[in-house]
């Protein structure tokens, strides 16, 4: 039973998710060792104590979770975070709101854009305004279809919905001015992607990334985005300091998530950093 546990850890998989991802291994270990925690100790790993949650910790974890692609169900992908969010905020939606990210259930898709355009038209809303006057709908239409007319055409209403051309067009100067105005009005820059999507997408169009646009406006980004080189340096620093490189360790989880996002798996990130990991032993190659 010890070997598959070691192999799972070497592959960069979270040992604390074994109960969900490899039920046969989990049950076998519990049967032979009297519990999963005992099996981990015999394999040479120290079980992690239960996390101490706070609203700030939950918000940070939710933002990191929201940045990962392909995950839409918080309860399935991170049960502990899901439970903590509901316990501290009352619901997932309230926790997402506090974290300044959009609930997966409310994320715009092509299908939702088309359906919303059709619903607004049937409801008789003013169709001479881009997005029927709804900036979020307009931003989603541009993001998924490239333009508002293209989205209207996809909804089958190109000959029925008329709209005035947009007089103000985005450029670098306008993006910078809007960012400064947003900041000066007391709003958080991290909220722009949710509350002012037109500005967020214009900034990425004209500057490449949202953070580069913020820096161009002589402001400090509120959220740090790491490069591959920076991530590898952090791994090496932990290795050289003799600190844990277990992906399930509380102090490593955020680094592990960044590594998986950039390199595919925790194991590949360690290899790229020149660190060979087996069991609890890490050797610099």
């Amino acid at each position: 039973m010890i070997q598959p546990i070691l192999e799972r850890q070497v592959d960069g998989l979270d040992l604390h998710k074994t109960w969900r991802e490899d039920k046969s291994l989990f049950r076998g270990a519990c049967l032979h060792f009297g519990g999963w925690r005992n099996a981990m100790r015999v394999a040479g790993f120290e079980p992690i104590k239960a996390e101490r949650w706070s609203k700030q910790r939950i918000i940070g974890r939710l933002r990191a979770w929201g940045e990962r692609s392909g995950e839409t169900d918080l309860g399935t992908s991170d049960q502990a975070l899901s439970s903590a969010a509901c316990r501290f905020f009352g619901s997932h939606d309230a926790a997402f709101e506090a974290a300044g990210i959009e609930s997966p259930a409310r994320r715009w898709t092509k299908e939702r854009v088309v359906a919303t355009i059709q619903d607004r038209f049937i409801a008789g809303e003013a169709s001479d305004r881009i997005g029927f006057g709804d900036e979020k709908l307009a931003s989603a239409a541009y993001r998924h279809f490239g333009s508002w007319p293209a989205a209207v055409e996809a909804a089958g209403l190109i000959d029925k919905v008329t709209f005035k051309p947009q007089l103000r067009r985005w450029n670098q100067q306008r993006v910078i001015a809007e960012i400064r105005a947003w900041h000066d009005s007391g709003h958080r820059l991290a909220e722009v992607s949710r509350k002012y999507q037109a500005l967020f997408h214009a900034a990425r169009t004209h500057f490449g990334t949202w953070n580069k646009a913020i820096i161009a406006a002589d402001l400090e980004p509120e959220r740090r985005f790491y490069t591959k080189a920076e991530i590898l340096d952090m791994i090496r620093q932990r290795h050289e300091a003799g600190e844990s490189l277990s992906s399930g360790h509380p102090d490593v989880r955020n680094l592990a998530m960044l590594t998986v996002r950039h390199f595919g798996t925790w194991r590949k990130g360690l290899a790229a950093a020149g660190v060979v990991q087996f069991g609890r032993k890490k050797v610099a190659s």
Side-chain angles (χ1 to χ4, degrees), residues 64-268:
W65 179 85
E67 291 175 357
R68 285 176 284 182
S69 60
E71 296 185 358
T72 58
D73 187 347
L74 179 61
T76 300
S77 61
D78 195 328
Q79 190 177 47
L81 177 57
S82 171
S83 299
C86 290
R87 189 165 66 251
F88 279 81
F89 293 95
S91 69
H92 284 169
D93 284 346
F96 285 129
E97 177 71 21
I101 61 177
E102 190 173 32
S103 168
R106 298 176 181 173
R107 287 176 184 165
W108 288 98
T109 62
K110 283 189 174 183
E111 292 75 15
R112 184 185 171 196
V113 171
V114 167
T116 302
I117 291 173
Q118 293 169 342
D119 289 343
R120 297 287 177 85
F121 175 77
I122 293 172
E125 295 189 21
S127 61
D128 62 339
R129 300 176 62 191
I130 293 178
F132 294 94
D134 184 337
E135 191 171 79
K136 289 185 178 180
L137 173 57
S139 295
Y142 275 95
R143 187 164 65 254
H144 287 289
F145 294 94
S147 69
W148 175 246
V152 172
E153 184 174 9
L157 297 170
I158 192 63
D159 58 338
K160 296 181 176 64
V161 174
T162 58
F163 48 88
K164 299 175 182 177
Q166 197 168 17
L167 298 179
R168 297 181 67 193
R169 296 189 179 278
W170 290 102
N171 54 38
Q172 287 192 348
Q173 291 70 30
R174 184 187 168 198
V175 169
I176 289 174
E178 290 290 315
I179 290 175
R180 288 174 178 167
W182 179 268
H183 177 265
D184 293 343
S185 64
H187 293 295
R188 292 180 60 241
L189 294 174
E191 297 176 329
V192 169
S193 62
R194 181 171 56 88
K195 295 184 176 180
Y196 195 170
Q197 293 182 0
L199 171 57
F200 180 74
H201 294 297
R204 294 204 301 181
T205 297
H206 290 283
F207 292 92
T209 68
W210 172 239
N211 274 2
K212 287 181 180 179
I214 294 175
I215 294 171
D218 294 325
L219 297 172
E220 185 71 22
E222 295 177 359
R223 294 166 64 181
R224 176 74 185 276
F225 291 89
Y226 295 91
T227 64
K228 285 186 176 182
E230 290 172 326
I231 292 170
L232 295 178
D233 283 342
M234 288 189 286
I235 292 175
R236 295 186 185 110
Q237 288 171 11
R238 290 194 66 84
H239 169 72
E240 292 168 2
E243 298 174 333
S244 173
L245 283 175
S246 170
S247 60
H249 192 283
D251 295 335
V252 182
R253 286 178 182 172
N254 287 338
L255 174 57
M257 286 189 292
L258 289 170
T259 303
V260 170
R261 188 157 63 247
H262 283 279
F263 295 93
T265 68
W266 175 238
R267 185 180 183 182
K268 289 180 180 179

